[in-house]
Amino acid sequence: MSTLYFLIPIALIFCVVTLKLVLWAIQSGQYNDLDRDANIIFEDDHADTKDTNDH
């Protein structure tokens, strides 16, 4: 029973901190454009650089 007096406040503090971090991430715009980073691998921006491995 004594461990519950220790673990319940720790769990509540963890939940509050996690909720604050998620709300901060949403308000700071971390989730505004999820598709740009997913599609950036398909962009061909390195095609104009010269290949240095040509021998």
Side-chain angles (χ1 to χ4, degrees):
M1 186 71 179
S2 65
T3 57
L4 288 178
Y5 293 131
F6 178 71
L7 291 177
I8 289 175
I10 297 277
L12 289 175
I13 290 171
F14 179 75
C15 288
V16 168
V17 168
T18 303
L19 182 65
K20 285 188 178 229
L21 286 174
V22 167
L23 291 175
W24 170 79
I26 291 171
Q27 290 175 352
S28 67
Q30 297 291 321
Y31 298 109
N32 283 345
D33 190 10
L34 297 176
D35 293 330
R36 183 182 61 85
D37 288 334
N39 292 327
I40 200 165
I41 62 169
F42 299 117
E43 293 179 8
D44 194 22
D45 58 354
H46 298 292
D48 57 343
T49 60
K50 185 176 182 179
D51 190 21
T52 57
N53 293 330
D54 289 338
H55 293 324

